[in-house]
Structure formats: structure tokens, C-alpha cells
């Protein structure tokens, strides 16, 4: 079966065109297609091919692991797809520059190697040609970097047609074949257009899935609560970030990522809370958004950004300075939310804060607003607690005492009457709920008492890990509380029963220690990968680690090349009855070619074998045309029941002798 000439070069040029990596694609194409113009070959046995396959797989796995742990997941898998031709380069080069021009099938599969060692492998002598599979890999990788130009699909069709032209059946007319290819191409274009119509929606769903898998940070403009959810809320052990306090932490640390000032229909909104860009200091990693405070305390927080390098930053109350945060932009709104844009996948920043000062915007009209749908409920309870006549400090204390008496914490909610709001059901009937109920009720009660109050969401840093030497913040540590403006600053008011922390801890999975260990390893790797000193050198370090493997393989191949004409394997010959034609002089020619390293592949006809090796031998022009004639006489002497005449046998003997003397 003939293959399209220079098919590998065509695939690599197409890949370079789509990816823009011409400095990689063109040299690779010249290397692989250069095997057509040189007779230099390595004599490789199965053990050599096994080593080459193992090193190729190791390089692929190392590259994949490096990308997945260094980049965002979606981008990493796309990068792995784009660089598939480079991953398979070593393997195809071994095929192109080996004497057999094929790859043993057993070398590609470890399971077949085990069967071969047990002498039960029927594939031990099977060889495969990776030229067309590699061509397909180039096309697949190019599609991963598709620039969405008009010429992509026509070029793709032309390349596939070029590869199939030499594989077509000769029973059909060329025009018929071309027509069928055009019909298939037009049908394929129609199907592709249909898929593209839904691609944006599918990609959005996939990206959202990745975001939900990696992070569940708040929306700075809206917080959809679980008020009214019937059943048990599911919690996750996934670690979101790590907190290292530079002071003795004696109680859980509340870290806010957003706050809201308008409540309606079970959703908290942030109104009049536009973000303003902060200006970085000269080092481009320090961001100051309030004046310097005395007696400041410090936290180091390590967290992952989302698939676009964006994310809300978890901050303690009274934060005024960020250090060690490399990002294109950092923005902050008046409600205290801070977001980063175009940052690295892992950010590790140092927060300076003083809780005695407030850096959020002062109260507005919305901070005392109680929605009409809940005004009667809240007013009745506020009157019962006599909040209107109490001072702000006393009112806050009375609300806290109210929730301490008869209220419990629970992630499970029962059924309620259809005409009863979730908050009314919580306050009047159930008297049990999670943090969102307590925070919402606290905000509305304090507002009814005339105290400006906001709804805050974030996390409680409460679980210390000796392995990380830091506090681990998981998804199930997500929390909500109130922010009350008293004595000229915003204060954290958390009325959720403190038992919630112990209940959350008891709900952890039995597999948590194992997942924590792997999370620790991944975090350490990413921290090194994206640290300030290593960011520019990590790729170089990875290459340095791979150099010994490449040098070892090169040394092995160079030894094999020197052994090309020096080593012959002993062959065990079993006594058997001579078959007709076993004394054919042509066997001496076959033996000569084998000793030169031109081994005939199993299942390959002698005529195809001679055509394949002809470009790689220095052939005497006087004997170039004699081999096909001698092969024909050999076949007739070997297989024809009539045999050959004495004169023809004499021609075979003299022709073989002349060929051996001339070559």
C-alpha cells in the first residue's frame, strides 16, 4: 500500500500554520522527511523500541502533569492537544531512521509485552507504520489551535484527500472518487456548521463546570441564598485556599469576599457598588487602598484564580494593603469586595489589616432598608425585642441573645406552607437553619432598629493543618454574617450558633486525608512554579530534568549504529526436509541485504521490500535492473510446480553471482 509522498511534511506545515509554531514545525518536517534522502539507518531491536516508547510516554506524562498543575485546567488540556505532534516525534523518528521502517506492535502496549514474556503473544512479529496516524495527530492538534479562518476547512479537506488518493481503490474511476470526496466534504461542512451553532453554549457550560469544580467564590453583585431550599445542603471538602497568620490566632478568622446591601426575593444584591481600579506601587505587586495603619496585623493567603486568571480575594475586616500580588489589574468597590484580573493560576498575597478601622464606604440609604415583603415580620419581632429604644450596642446584644435561646444550627430544612416566606418559617416555626438564615435575619432586625447593616459572605478559617503549617479553608467553610456600622466602623456580627463549625467538621469524608495530601503536593508544586524567582526558569528546569533521558537514548542509539555491521544474532536451524527451491542462489542476495541492515518486515512481499530499500543503498547501475528479473526466476523456481528450465536456472545462478560481486 503506497503512501502520499511528503504527507508528514504537509501535516506539520498545516499544524505550524494554525499554531504559529513555525520554528518547531519546519525543522521537524525536515528531520522526518530527511529520511528519504539518506541511507543512514539504525539497527533497532524490540528492546530499543520499548525504551523509545517508554521515554516518549514519560515525556508526554511529564508535560501533561506540568501543564495541568501549572495552568488552568481547560487551557492545559488544550495545550496538551496542540503539542501532541511533539510528543510523538521521537517515536516516528525511530521508525523513519530504523532499518525495518516500522514499529513493533508489542512496543506500543505494555500488556502485549507481558504476553510476549509469557510466550502467549500472537502479535510478537506484527509491525505497524505510524506515518498516517502521525499525520492524523497533526491535523487533530491543528484543530485545537484553529484560528477560525475561511481556509481552515478547505485546507483540511485537501490534506485528507491527498492522503487518501494513494489509498483509493483502483476499481473506480478517478473522477468518481473525486466526486465522492467533494460530496463528503460538503456534507461534513454542513454538519460542522450545525455543531458550531451550539459550540458557544456548550463551551460556556464546560467552563462553568470547571469553575464550579475549582472554585465557588461569590458574585460581587449578587448572592443567591439557599433560603427556602428543602432538604439537606451538600458540602464539599475541596480546599479553596490556605491562610498563614503572622500572629497567634486564638479564634476562627472571618475572611470576607463580598458584601451586599439590598435584599429581595431571597437574593442579596450589591447596589451602587461599582469597582474602581487600584494603582500598584513601583514593584507592580503591592496595592494600597487605604492609608497606612498602626498596629497592623498580617495574613498570607494562597488561592487559585478561575480559568481566566480572575477572582475575588478573601480579606479580613480592616484590610488596607496587599503585597506580593502580581496581576494586570486589582479593583475594589465601596462594599469592600476586591477582585483580581489576569493573575497567575495561583496567587499568594500578604494582607495588612487593622480591625479597629473601617476601609469600606460609609452607610447609605440602602443599609437601613427593609423590604416591604418582610417589613411586618421584622417589625413584630423588633418590637418584641424592644430594639427601637435600645442603643446600637444593646440592640446587637439583644438580637444575639434572641438567637441563643431556642435556635439551633442545621443544614436540613423541612416543608413549609406555600404562603409562608422561608425567613418567616425560620423565625416563627422551624427555628433552625444555616448561616444564611441567621445573617439575613440579623441584618434586617438591626436595620429595623435603625442600625446600618450589610450582608457579608466569605469563609471561616478555622481548620489548622500541621502538614501545610497553615489554616485550610474548604468549600464547606463558606459562611455568611452581618456587618453593623457602630462607633464609626463596620463590625462583624455573627449570630450563627458556633456549633456549626464542629458539625461541619464531623461531616467530612473518610477520604479527606488522602485528598488533602495530594492537594498539599499540588499546592507546593504550584507555589514553586509561580513563585517570583521561578516563574521564568521553571520551563528551563523541566528541560534540564529531561536532558539526561534524551542523552541516554542518544547514547544507546549511537551504540546500535556502530554495531550495525559488527554484530549478527545466532540463528538456530531445525533439521527438516528441504523444500523445493531451498537452494535458490537468490537467498544469498537476501542474506547480503539482511547483513547490511535492510531487514524485510513480516508480511512484506519481496518485491515491495526491494522497492522500499532501493533509495537507501548504493546500487551498481549495471545490476540495478537485474534484481526484479532474478526475483521472478526465484519465485518460479521456488513455487511454480513446473519449475524452471536448466537454462533459466543457469541464468539465476550467474545473475546472482554477478550481483553479489558488483554490490
Amino acid at each position: 500500500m503506497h503512501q502520499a509522498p511528503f504527507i508528514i511534511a504537509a501535516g506539520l506545515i498545516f499544524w505550524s500554520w494554525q499554531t504559529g509554531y513555525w520554528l518547531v514545525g519546519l525543522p521537524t518536517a525536515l528531520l522526518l522527511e530527511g529520511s528519504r534522502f539518506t541511507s543512514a539507518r539504525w539497527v533497532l531491536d524490540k528492546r530499543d523500541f520499548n525504551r523509545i516508547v517508554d521515554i516518549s510516554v514519560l515525556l508526554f506524562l511529564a508535560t501533561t502533569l506540568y501543564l495541568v498543575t501549572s495552568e488552568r485546567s481547560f487551557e492545559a488540556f488544550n495545550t496538551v492537544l496542540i503539542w501532541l505532534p511533539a510528543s510523538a516525534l521521537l517515536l516516528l523518528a525511530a521508525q523513519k531512521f530504523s532499518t525495518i521502517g516500522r514499529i513493533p506492535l508489542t512496543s506500543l502496549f505494555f500488556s502485549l509485552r507481558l504476553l510476549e514474556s509469557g510466550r502467549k503473544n500472537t502479535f510478537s512479529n506484527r509491525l505497524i507504520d505510524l506515518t498516517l496516524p502521525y499525520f492524523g495527530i497533526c491535523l487533530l492538534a491543528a484543530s485545537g489551535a484553529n484560528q477560525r479562518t475561511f481556509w481552515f476547512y478547505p485546507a483540511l479537506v485537501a490534506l485528507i484527500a491527498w492522503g487518501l488518493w494513494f489509498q483509493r481503490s483502483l476499481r473506480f474511476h478517478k473522477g468518481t472518487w473525486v466526486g465522492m470526496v467533494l460530496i463528503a466534504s460538503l456534507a461534513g461542512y454542513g454538519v460542522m456548521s450545525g455543531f458550531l451553532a451550539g459550540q458557544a453554549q456548550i463551551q460556556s457550560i464546560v467552563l462553568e463546570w470547571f469553575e464550579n469544580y475549582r472554585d465557588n467564590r461569590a458574585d460581587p453583585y449578587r448572592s443567591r441564598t439557599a433560603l427556602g431550599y428543602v432538604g439537606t445542603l451538600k458540602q464539599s471538602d475541596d480546599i479553596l485556599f490556605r491562610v498563614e497568620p503572622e500572629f497567634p490566632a486564638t479564634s476562627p478568622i472571618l475572611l470576607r469576599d463580598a458584601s451586599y446591601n439590598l435584599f429581595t426575593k431571597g437574593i442579596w444584591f450589591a447596589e451602587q457598588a461599582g469597582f474602581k481600579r487600584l494603582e500598584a506601587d513601583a514593584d507592580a505587586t503591592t496595592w494600597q487602598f487605604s492609608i497606612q495603619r498602626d498596629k497592623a496585623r498580617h495574613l498570607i493567603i494562597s488561592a487559585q484564580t478561575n480559568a481566566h486568571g480572575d477572582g475575588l480575594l478573601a480579606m479580613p475586616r480592616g484590610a488596607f494593603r496587599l503585597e506580593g500580588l502580581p496581576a494586570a489589574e486589582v479593583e475594589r468597590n465601596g462594599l469592600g469586595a476586591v477582585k483580581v484580573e489576569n493573575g497567575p493560576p495561583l496567587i499568594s498575597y500578604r494582607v495588612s489589616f487593622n480591625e479597629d478601622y473601617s476601609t469600606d464606604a460609609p452607610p447609605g440609604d440602602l443599609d437601613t432598608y427593609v423590604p416591604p415583603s418582610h417589613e411586618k415580620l421584622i417589625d413584630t419581632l423588633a418590637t418584641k425585642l424592644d430594639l427601637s429604644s435600645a442603643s446600637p450596642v444593646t440592640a446587637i446584644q439583644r438580637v444575639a441573645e434572641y438567637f441563643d435561646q431556642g435556635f439551633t444550627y442545621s443544614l436540613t430544612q423541612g416543608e413549609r406552607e406555600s404562603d409562608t416566606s422561608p425567613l418567616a418559617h425560620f423565625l416563627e416555626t422551624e427555628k433552625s437553619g444555616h448561616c444564611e438564615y441567621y445573617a439575613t435575619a440579623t441584618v434586617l432586625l438591626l436595620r429595623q432598629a435603625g442600625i446600618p447593616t450589610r450582608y457579608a459572605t466569605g469563609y471561616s478559617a478555622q481548620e489548622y493543618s500541621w502538614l501545610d503549617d497553615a489554616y485550610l479553608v474548604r468549600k464547606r467553610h463558606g459562611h455568611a454574617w452581618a456587618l453593623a456600622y457602630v462607633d464609626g466602623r463596620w463590625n462583624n456580627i455573627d449570630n450563627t450558633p458556633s456549633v456549626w463549625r464542629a458539625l461541619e467538621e464531623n461531616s467530612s469524608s473518610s477520604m479527606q486525608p488522602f485528598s488533602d495530601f495530594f492537594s498539599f503536593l499540588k499546592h507546593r508544586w504550584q507555589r514553586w512554579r509561580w513563585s517570583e524567582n521561578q516563574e521564568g526558569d521553571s520551563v528551563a528546569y523541566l528541560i534540564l530534568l529531561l536532558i539526561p533521558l534524551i542523552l541516554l537514548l542518544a547514547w544507546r542509539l549511537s551504540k546500535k549504529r556502530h554495531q550495525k555491521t559488527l554484530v549478527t544474532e545466532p540463528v538456530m536451524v531445525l533439521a527438516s526436509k528441504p523444500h523445493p527451491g531451498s537452494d535458490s542462489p537468490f537467498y544469498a542476495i537476501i542474506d547480503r541485504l539482511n547483513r547490511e541492515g535492510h531487514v524485510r518486515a513480516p508480511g512484506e512481499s519481496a518485491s515491495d521490500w526491494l522497492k522500499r530499500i532501493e533509495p537507501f543503498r548504493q546500487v551498481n547501475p549495471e545490476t540495478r535492473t537485474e534484481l526484479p528479473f532474478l526475483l521472478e526466476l526465484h519465485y518460479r523456481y521456488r513455487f511454480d510446480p513446473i519449475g524452471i528450465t536448466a537454462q533459466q536456472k543457469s541464468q539465476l545462478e550467474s545473475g546472482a553471482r554477478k550481483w553479489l560481486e558488483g554490490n
Side-chain angles (χ1 to χ4, degrees):
M1 185 177 292
H2 299 288
Q3 293 180 353
F6 301 103
I7 190 69
I8 293 298
L12 285 170
I13 291 174
F14 182 70
W15 175 82
S16 302
W17 172 44
Q18 289 298 309
T19 62
Y21 298 134
W22 291 99
L23 293 179
V24 177
L26 289 182
T28 302
L30 292 174
L31 170 67
L32 296 178
E33 295 292 0
S35 62
R36 298 174 176 270
F37 307 105
T38 178
S39 60
R41 292 293 184 271
W42 283 304
V43 181
L44 303 177
D45 55 26
K46 286 185 178 180
R47 290 176 298 178
D48 298 311
F49 281 111
N50 291 347
R51 294 188 186 99
I52 294 171
V53 171
D54 292 342
I55 291 179
S56 298
V57 172
L58 181 61
L59 291 174
F60 173 76
L61 294 178
T63 304
T64 302
L65 179 63
Y66 172 80
L67 291 171
V68 169
T69 56
S70 299
E71 299 185 7
R72 293 106 186 163
S73 298
F74 190 81
E75 295 177 359
F77 289 120
N78 191 59
T79 304
V80 171
L81 173 65
I82 290 174
W83 284 99
L84 279 178
S87 301
L89 170 61
L90 192 61
L91 191 56
L92 187 64
Q95 170 187 309
K96 291 293 185 181
F97 289 94
S98 67
T99 54
I100 60 175
R102 300 287 191 277
I103 298 291
L105 183 62
T106 54
S107 297
L108 300 177
F109 301 95
F110 187 72
S111 58
L112 294 183
R113 297 186 202 176
L114 294 178
L115 289 176
E116 188 175 35
S117 63
R119 299 183 180 180
K120 297 180 180 180
N121 191 1
T122 58
F123 303 96
S124 58
N125 294 323
R126 299 251 182 117
L127 300 176
I128 62 173
D129 186 351
L130 295 181
T131 301
L132 290 181
Y134 188 84
F135 172 69
I137 287 175
C138 292
L139 299 185
L140 178 64
S143 67
N146 182 4
Q147 301 176 8
R148 301 295 190 271
T149 61
F150 169 80
W151 294 106
F152 173 81
Y153 190 73
L156 180 67
V157 170
L159 285 174
I160 295 176
W162 173 250
L164 294 177
W165 175 262
F166 294 87
Q167 315 291 329
R168 73 186 191 281
S169 174
L170 298 180
R171 293 182 301 165
F172 300 97
H173 190 272
K174 295 178 181 179
T176 303
W177 187 89
V178 171
M180 296 300 294
V181 169
L182 290 176
I183 293 174
S185 302
L186 293 175
Y189 184 80
V191 173
M192 183 187 70
S193 300
F195 279 121
L196 287 177
Q199 180 179 359
Q201 182 177 359
I202 295 174
Q203 185 171 350
S204 175
I205 294 174
V206 171
L207 285 174
E208 182 179 355
W209 182 86
F210 271 109
E211 292 305 312
N212 292 334
Y213 173 76
R214 293 174 60 114
D215 199 357
N216 69 339
R217 300 296 179 85
D219 181 338
Y221 299 104
R222 182 178 68 175
S223 177
R224 183 179 297 275
T225 68
L227 301 183
Y229 176 84
V230 177
T232 302
L233 293 179
K234 296 182 180 180
Q235 302 295 292
S236 170
D237 293 332
D238 292 346
I239 298 173
L240 292 180
F241 51 92
R242 291 163 169 82
V243 180
E244 303 175 44
E246 297 182 358
F247 56 89
T250 58
S251 61
I253 305 170
L254 291 180
L255 300 172
R256 179 188 55 172
D257 55 15
S259 54
Y260 308 88
N261 53 11
L262 177 63
F263 179 70
T264 178
K265 297 181 180 180
I267 301 176
W268 278 100
F269 294 90
E271 293 294 326
Q272 302 172 0
F275 280 86
K276 294 183 179 180
R277 181 175 179 178
L278 301 177
E279 295 297 330
D281 288 356
D283 62 359
T285 63
T286 301
W287 311 82
Q288 186 98 18
F289 43 86
S290 182
I291 62 174
Q292 187 74 27
R293 302 294 185 181
D294 296 331
K295 300 180 180 179
R297 295 194 291 177
H298 310 281
L299 292 173
I300 296 177
I301 300 177
S302 298
Q304 287 185 316
T305 56
N306 64 16
H308 307 288
D310 307 335
L312 288 173
L313 302 184
M315 309 280 284
R317 181 169 56 90
F320 59 85
R321 181 182 176 90
L322 295 175
E323 299 174 86
L325 179 60
E329 291 186 9
V330 174
E331 299 179 336
R332 186 175 186 270
N333 69 10
L335 300 184
V338 179
K339 67 178 181 178
V340 59
E341 296 186 359
N342 297 322
L346 179 72
I347 54 177
S348 183
Y349 53 97
R350 185 173 185 259
V351 186
S352 300
F353 68 101
N354 187 330
E355 294 182 333
D356 293 335
Y357 298 90
S358 178
T359 57
D360 295 358
D365 293 339
L366 289 176
D367 295 317
T368 56
Y369 173 76
V370 177
S373 59
H374 291 80
E375 189 171 8
K376 181 179 179 180
L377 168 71
I378 297 302
D379 181 64
T380 301
L381 183 55
T383 302
K384 176 182 177 181
L385 298 178
D386 193 18
L387 300 181
S388 60
S389 62
S391 66
V393 174
T394 302
I396 291 173
Q397 184 178 357
R398 288 179 181 178
V399 172
E401 291 174 350
Y402 171 73
F403 286 120
D404 281 341
Q405 300 172 1
F407 281 81
T408 60
Y409 179 82
S410 175
L411 291 173
T412 303
Q413 292 294 306
E415 298 285 348
R416 58 181 172 85
E417 298 294 334
S418 59
D419 58 347
T420 303
S421 70
L423 193 60
H425 181 71
F426 164 71
L427 291 173
E428 297 176 340
T429 306
E430 189 81 10
K431 294 193 174 183
S432 180
H434 47 78
C435 58
E436 292 177 340
Y437 284 97
Y438 287 96
T440 300
T442 298
V443 171
L444 298 183
L445 283 171
L446 294 182
R447 286 183 174 184
Q448 191 67 27
I451 303 173
T453 315
R454 293 170 180 168
Y455 178 88
T457 62
Y459 301 89
S460 174
Q462 60 198 38
E463 179 186 340
Y464 180 78
S465 169
W466 61 267
L467 183 63
D468 293 84
D469 192 22
Y471 286 87
L472 303 182
V473 178
R474 306 177 188 274
K475 286 185 177 181
R476 58 179 169 83
H477 292 153
H479 197 43
W481 62 94
L483 288 171
Y485 193 77
V486 180
D487 296 334
R489 68 173 185 265
W490 294 98
N491 299 271
N492 291 331
I493 308 298
D494 186 7
N495 286 329
T496 302
S498 58
V499 70
W500 80 271
R501 298 182 175 91
L503 293 176
E504 294 288 350
E505 188 68 26
N506 293 334
S507 67
S508 62
S509 168
S510 59
M511 298 300 293
Q512 178 179 303
F514 300 99
S515 61
D516 285 355
F517 178 72
F518 288 108
S519 176
F520 166 77
L521 296 179
K522 179 180 179 180
H523 175 258
R524 290 297 178 180
W525 161 257
Q526 288 186 321
R527 193 166 183 173
W528 171 84
R529 167 67 179 88
W530 294 105
S531 64
E532 183 177 356
N533 295 331
Q534 303 293 347
E535 184 175 355
D537 301 329
S538 54
V539 176
Y541 289 154
L542 180 63
I543 295 175
L544 288 176
L545 291 175
L546 299 177
I547 284 178
L549 293 175
I550 298 174
L551 292 178
L552 176 61
L553 178 62
W555 177 78
R556 289 286 305 175
L557 293 179
S558 65
K559 297 291 288 184
K560 294 299 293 185
R561 185 173 184 179
H562 289 314
Q563 295 173 0
K564 177 177 178 181
T565 59
L566 299 177
V567 178
T568 57
E569 296 291 336
V571 180
M572 180 178 295
V573 181
L574 300 178
S576 61
K577 182 179 179 180
H579 55 73
S582 60
D583 59 341
S584 171
F586 197 81
Y587 284 118
I589 298 177
I590 295 176
D591 183 63
R592 167 73 67 81
L593 294 175
N594 285 333
R595 284 188 286 110
E596 290 180 357
H598 304 292
V599 182
R600 178 179 168 187
E604 185 178 28
S605 67
S607 57
D608 288 343
W609 173 49
L610 294 179
K611 291 179 182 178
R612 176 171 62 83
I613 66 176
E614 183 178 356
F616 310 120
R617 299 188 66 255
Q618 297 293 334
V619 182
N620 189 336
E622 297 180 359
T623 61
R624 178 184 297 272
T625 59
E626 294 183 3
L627 270 183
F629 174 70
L630 296 177
L631 178 61
E632 181 183 357
L633 289 178
H634 167 72
Y635 274 159
R636 292 176 56 190
Y637 183 46
R638 178 75 177 81
F639 301 108
D640 193 335
I642 301 177
I644 58 178
T645 64
Q647 181 181 359
Q648 290 172 331
K649 185 176 181 181
S650 176
Q651 289 178 326
L652 177 59
E653 292 173 347
S654 60
R657 183 167 55 253
K658 181 180 179 182
W659 188 92
L660 292 170
E661 292 174 353
N663 292 273

